[in-house]
Amino acid sequence: MIMNKKDLRIVYMGTPELSAEVLNFVISNGYNVVGLIAQEDRPVGRKHIIKKVPTKIVAEKFNIPVFQPHKIRDDYEFVKDLKPDLILTMAYGQIIPQGLLDIPKYLCLNLHASILPKYRGAAPIERAIENGEKVSGVTLMEMIDKMDAGRIYAIRDFAILESDNYASVVKKIIDAAYQLVDEEIMPIIEGKNQGVMQDESLVTFANKIKPEDERIDLNKSKEQIFNQIRALSPHIGAYLYLGDKKFKIFEASYYDDVINNKQEILIENRRLLLALKDGRLALQMVQLEGHKMMNNVAFINGYNFLLPSLVK
């Protein structure tokens, strides 16, 4: 039985920035990471320049071998040569086949960004904010051949505030993951934490964000639209159309309960407002198609000739 984290051979699987932050912590915390498996590097921006995925940058800094198979279900035999005791995953991005799950000496663990069994799936952070959840967290769980359905070993939760958006919740996710890595992995390996099975009657799913999820439905309530804006900011941006231009909203706040006869964006008391069926939101950060993101003052000064204008 391994009793020292330095002797625990870990293969880490993850791709985006939040996963890179956690990988850096795992390494700095004294664990022996013997390999990284990440998604392939992809072209970024208008010039389609190939950029390394964030976890790869961290792994290379520590001289850790990096593997980026196109489809992990078809290409994982190389993992056997790494002789892992544990596979630790956070936001890898592909379904992991049973053959790979069977390789580690002990087990495979996943850091999932929700309080399971709620929000299994690809977009737990966005969906929790979108649904107005007041509490979320990270679950350290066993990986099995069913999505996010393994036994739960530990949870670290935190509050989601009205002032939070996707970016600020990600920071809380990272901090919660740090705690789980620091406090829970070795007790699991040592057999001191046997975990508990999930209650399948409480399962909900967090489906991937699709293009149609980004457009604001003006028939929804002020609260629903406010939560959608928070859930998609700043990495995507919820949008509507101002005339024939896509108009993204990255930051908003509740303003009042005044009900307009029509839905529009207007200026009142030097504030940029979105009038809805049950009240109004104040808009702080926006982006008109073809322009950079700007605050409400800059928009009012430069584009007030567009207002008031019906939105759709």
Side-chain angles (χ1 to χ4, degrees), residues 150-204:
R151 64 178 57 237
I152 294 171
Y153 290 101
I155 294 170
R156 293 293 182 273
D157 61 19
F158 53 80
I160 299 180
L161 307 177
E162 189 176 287
S163 57
D164 278 322
N165 63 7
Y166 175 86
S168 61
V169 171
V170 163
K171 291 179 181 178
K172 296 181 180 184
I173 293 285
I174 291 169
D175 287 342
Y178 287 172
Q179 294 175 39
L180 290 167
V181 169
D182 187 41
E183 300 168 9
E184 302 294 345
I185 288 180
M186 290 312 297
I188 294 170
I189 297 299
E190 294 164 0
K192 297 176 182 178
N193 182 349
Q194 298 297 315
V196 295
M197 300 301 294
Q198 295 187 41
D199 184 343
E200 292 292 321
S201 70
L202 301 177
V203 170
T204 64

Side-chain angles (χ1 to χ4, degrees), residues 20-290:
E21 295 279 354
V22 175
L23 172 59
N24 188 77
F25 182 82
V26 171
I27 298 167
S28 302
N29 201 255
Y31 286 97
N32 179 24
V33 178
V34 297
L36 165 70
I37 302 175
Q39 294 266 52
E40 294 171 296
D41 300 331
R42 288 190 171 90
V44 176
R46 294 180 180 178
K47 296 183 178 180
H48 300 287
I49 297 172
I50 301 295
K51 292 189 69 173
K52 297 177 181 179
V53 298
T55 47
K56 182 177 183 179
I57 295 171
V58 173
E60 290 182 342
K61 181 176 71 173
F62 290 97
N63 297 313
I64 292 169
V66 177
F67 305 88
Q68 296 175 280
H70 179 61
K71 292 183 179 179
I72 191 67
R73 68 174 180 266
D74 299 327
D75 182 11
Y76 60 82
E77 289 297 317
F78 64 89
V79 179
K80 293 178 181 178
D81 296 331
L82 298 173
K83 298 180 173 58
D85 297 310
L86 170 72
I87 288 178
L88 178 63
T89 302
M90 186 171 197
Y92 169 57
Q94 292 188 40
I95 300 297
I96 299 175
Q98 185 62 50
L100 178 53
L101 296 175
D102 292 337
I103 292 176
K105 180 178 180 180
Y106 294 106
L107 77 169
C108 299
L109 294 175
N110 181 43
L111 290 157
H112 183 73
S114 79
I115 300 176
L116 290 171
K118 292 184 72 172
Y119 298 109
R120 292 180 182 176
I125 304 173
E126 292 96 330
R127 297 303 184 187
I129 301 171
E130 178 185 64
N131 291 337
E133 297 285 358
K134 305 301 183 186
V135 178
S136 189
V138 178
T139 301
L140 182 61
M141 56 164 293
E142 174 191 23
M143 295 178 68
I144 61 174
D145 61 355
K146 184 179 178 183
M147 184 177 65
D148 302 325
R151 64 178 57 237
I152 294 171
Y153 290 101
I155 294 170
R156 293 293 182 273
D157 61 19
F158 53 80
I160 299 180
L161 307 177
E162 189 176 287
S163 57
D164 278 322
N165 63 7
Y166 175 86
S168 61
V169 171
V170 163
K171 291 179 181 178
K172 296 181 180 184
I173 293 285
I174 291 169
D175 287 342
Y178 287 172
Q179 294 175 39
L180 290 167
V181 169
D182 187 41
E183 300 168 9
E184 302 294 345
I185 288 180
M186 290 312 297
I188 294 170
I189 297 299
E190 294 164 0
K192 297 176 182 178
N193 182 349
Q194 298 297 315
V196 295
M197 300 301 294
Q198 295 187 41
D199 184 343
E200 292 292 321
S201 70
L202 301 177
V203 170
T204 64
F205 291 96
N207 296 326
K208 182 179 179 180
I209 300 296
K210 297 179 181 179
E212 55 265 32
D213 297 322
E214 300 170 22
R215 185 168 182 175
I216 294 171
D217 181 353
L218 293 166
N219 292 313
K220 289 187 175 181
S221 70
K222 177 176 62 174
E223 180 181 9
Q224 288 174 310
I225 292 171
F226 173 67
N227 289 338
Q228 180 186 6
I229 291 167
R230 297 162 60 220
L232 301 182
S233 179
H235 61 313
I236 299 174
Y239 75 91
L240 42 72
Y241 280 95
L242 180 58
D244 60 353
K245 295 282 189 180
K246 185 179 286 189
F247 183 76
K248 288 191 174 186
I249 304 172
F250 291 95
E251 184 180 341
S253 59
Y254 292 120
Y255 186 65
D256 61 25
D257 296 326
V258 172
I259 298 174
N260 283 31
N261 293 326
K262 55 187 178 182
Q263 294 153 334
E264 61 183 353
I265 294 174
L266 49 85
I267 298 168
E268 183 176 290
N269 298 324
R270 296 295 294 170
R271 294 177 183 270
L272 188 65
L273 305 179
L274 172 61
L276 298 164
K277 64 180 184 180
D278 60 345
R280 301 189 293 183
L281 296 174
L283 310 183
Q284 283 87 37
M285 296 297 298
V286 299
Q287 183 178 25
L288 186 65
E289 185 176 352

